[in-house]
Amino acid sequence: MTVVWKEQITRGAAIALMANFTSVADALKELVDNPIDYRQGQKLIVDIVDKHRGKGRGGLVVVESDGGRGMDAEGINTWLNWGEGERHSDDHIGRYHQGGKAACGFLGSHVRLWAKKAGRPEIWCFEDREWSRRTAAHTFGVATPVPPSQCPDTLRSVPLDRGHVRIEIRGLQKERRWNIQTLRNDLSNTYRNLLATGDVVIRINDESVDPMNIPLSTAVDQVVIGPIPLGQGRTARGWAGRMMRSEMEFPIKGGLRLIQNGRLICQGEWFGYNHEGKGALASLIGELHLAGFKPNPNKTDFVDRGDIVWENLGALVESDLKPLISELRKSGEDGRVSKDEKRRASEV
C-alpha cells in the first residue's frame, strides 16, 4: 500500500501548541507517555540521550523507546495528523493526539523520527528540518522503507515482535533551560509506580532513573483508600500515611498524588479539605490511582474536576482518611511546645 505522508493542521495552531509547555522536563515526558500507552504488555525501555551542549546543528536530544507497538508508515501518517487518530482507550495517559508532536517543536526545530512496528520488519524514517518554523502544512511525499544499513545501530537488531521508535531533535531552542538532575528527579517522581514495578525502564545518558522513594513513618498506621466505585466506569483506590520529609531525596508536596495508568498527573490534592495550619497534616502523603477519569492535555490535572462524580470522590476519600487525619492532628498537638516550655528550656 502506498502511503503519502501529509501533515494535517493549520500551522498557526501547531506552533501555538508547541509553545504550550512550562519546561523541558514537561515536554520530554510527553515523548515518554506515548510509548507507555502502547506498550501492549511488553517491558518498555526508554532512553533519553542529551547532547544539547554539542557543536554543529544546535545540539541534539534523542528519545528512543523499545517495546510495545511501535509505528509503520501508516502510523507515522497518523502521527502527522494533529488532533486526530485512532481512539485512545480510557486507561491511556494521552487522549488528544497532539502532545508528542508539540513537544518536539517546543524542544527544537529539526525532527527526525525512525520507527518499526511490532510484527513487521520494515524500518521507516520521517524527517522535517523546519518542524517548529514552517508556517504552512506540508506534504512529505511517498513513504519508503529504509535499508537497515542506513539506520542507527539501535534499530538494526530489533526483534520482529517488538516495536521501536527513535525521535531525534536538533536545533534545540537556546532559551530553554536544561538541567539533567532536575529532569531525573521529575521522571523519578512522575513515573514512580511504573519504574518500581519494572514495567518501564527509563535511562538518561545510559544511567537508569530510580523510582522516587517516599519514606513513611512507622509510628503512624497507613490507611487504605477504596476501592471506590463511582459509576460511569470510574473507580479510585490508594493509600495514605505520614511522610518523613527529612528523609526525602528531594522535596515534594504533601497531600494525595493522583495517578493515571501508573503516571503522576497532579500532586498536593486535598479535595477541598482545609489542611492549612493543621500542624502534622502537612506530612500527610498518599497515592490515589484513578481509572476512567480524563487528564487534561498537559497532564497537570483532570478535566473531570468539578463534576458531581469528582465531588463524590472527594467526600468518600475524606471519609477513608479520617483515622489518619485524626492521628496526625493528635500527633501535632502532642508535639506542640508552649512559650513557657521554650522559655524554661532557654534558661536551662
Side-chain angles (χ1 to χ4, degrees):
M1 176 181 176
T2 300
V3 176
V4 177
W5 285 339
K6 181 178 181 180
E7 185 182 27
Q8 298 186 51
I9 193 174
T10 62
R11 286 300 291 180
I15 291 172
L17 291 170
M18 292 175 189
N20 198 25
F21 294 94
T22 59
S23 69
V24 166
D26 283 345
L28 285 171
K29 285 188 293 187
E30 281 288 348
L31 300 178
V32 176
D33 289 339
N34 285 341
I36 287 177
D37 278 341
Y38 293 110
R39 64 187 185 275
Q40 297 182 324
Q42 292 185 352
K43 181 176 181 177
L44 177 71
I45 301 173
V46 180
D47 277 293
I48 299 173
V49 179
D50 167 46
K51 297 182 179 179
H52 71 279
R53 296 180 182 85
K55 298 179 181 180
R57 291 171 287 179
L60 167 68
V61 64
V62 178
V63 180
E64 192 159 15
S65 58
D66 181 76
R69 190 182 65 179
M71 284 193 288
D72 57 9
E74 292 181 354
I76 293 175
N77 200 44
T78 299
W79 187 82
L80 284 168
N81 190 358
W82 293 70
E84 295 186 18
E86 63 182 89
R87 185 181 179 275
H88 281 288
S89 64
D90 288 342
D91 63 345
H92 277 185
I93 304 167
R95 308 287 182 89
Y96 302 94
H97 305 286
Q98 52 87 10
K101 297 179 279 290
C104 290
F106 177 86
L107 295 170
S109 59
H110 177 180
V111 174
R112 180 185 291 164
L113 187 156
W114 303 84
K116 174 197 170 298
K117 186 173 182 178
R120 299 294 306 173
E122 299 89 1
I123 299 172
W124 306 88
C125 180
F126 161 81
E127 184 172 17
D128 185 357
R129 296 174 180 269
E130 302 292 328
W131 183 251
S132 66
R133 294 193 289 247
R134 280 186 298 100
T135 57
H138 188 66
T139 298
F140 295 91
V142 176
T144 305
V146 182
S149 61
Q150 298 178 19
C151 298
D153 292 343
T154 50
L155 280 109
R156 294 179 185 177
S157 57
V158 177
L160 183 66
D161 65 336
R162 291 182 72 82
H164 196 102
V165 175
R166 174 186 174 96
I167 298 176
E168 303 171 356
I169 305 170
R170 292 181 168 83
L172 302 183
Q173 304 289 354
K174 294 181 180 179
E175 67 273 17
R176 309 292 186 221
R177 296 184 61 184
W178 292 76
N179 185 299
I180 296 300
Q181 189 57 51
T182 298
L183 173 61
R184 181 176 296 279
N185 291 348
D186 204 335
L187 295 173
S188 172
N189 184 4
T190 300
Y191 302 104
R192 180 181 111 86
N193 288 269
L194 293 169
L195 295 171
T197 61
D199 292 341
V200 174
V201 173
I202 301 176
R203 298 186 292 233
I204 302 176
N205 295 339
D206 292 327
E207 185 178 344
S208 294
V209 174
D210 294 325
M212 181 187 70
N213 179 42
I214 302 178
L216 298 176
S217 170
T218 57
V220 175
D221 292 334
Q222 292 185 52
V223 299
V224 175
I225 303 174
I228 302 173
L230 295 160
Q232 303 177 24
R234 292 189 271 190
T235 61
R237 60 177 178 81
W239 60 269
R242 182 176 183 176
M243 173 172 53
M244 303 295 288
R245 286 190 175 277
S246 61
E247 298 180 17
M248 289 291 300
E249 293 182 20
F250 52 89
I252 62 172
K253 293 181 179 180
L256 294 179
R257 299 159 50 83
L258 305 187
I259 313 291
Q260 174 85 5
N261 197 21
R263 195 244 204 229
L264 175 69
I265 301 299
C266 57
Q267 54 189 333
E269 177 61 53
W270 291 90
F271 289 102
Y273 181 80
N274 180 19
H275 66 285
E276 298 295 338
K278 301 297 183 181
L281 280 190
S283 64
L284 186 151
I285 191 70
E287 291 188 330
L288 195 62
H289 295 259
L290 302 180
F293 290 84
K294 190 173 183 179
N296 65 16
N298 280 358
K299 305 184 184 77
T300 56
D301 205 347
F302 289 87
V303 299
D304 314 81
R305 184 180 295 275
D307 68 14
I308 187 64
V309 174
W310 189 270
E311 291 179 6
N312 291 340
L313 171 63
L316 293 169
V317 167
E318 187 177 338
S319 176
D320 283 349
L321 288 178
K322 278 184 178 179
L324 177 61
I325 290 174
S326 176
E327 192 167 357
L328 290 179
R329 275 179 171 169
K330 183 176 184 299
S331 173
E333 291 169 354
D334 291 345
R336 194 171 295 133
V337 180
S338 69
K339 290 182 179 180
D340 286 341
E341 289 170 325
K342 288 181 180 179
R343 178 179 54 76
R344 288 196 295 270
S346 177
E347 290 173 352
V348 171

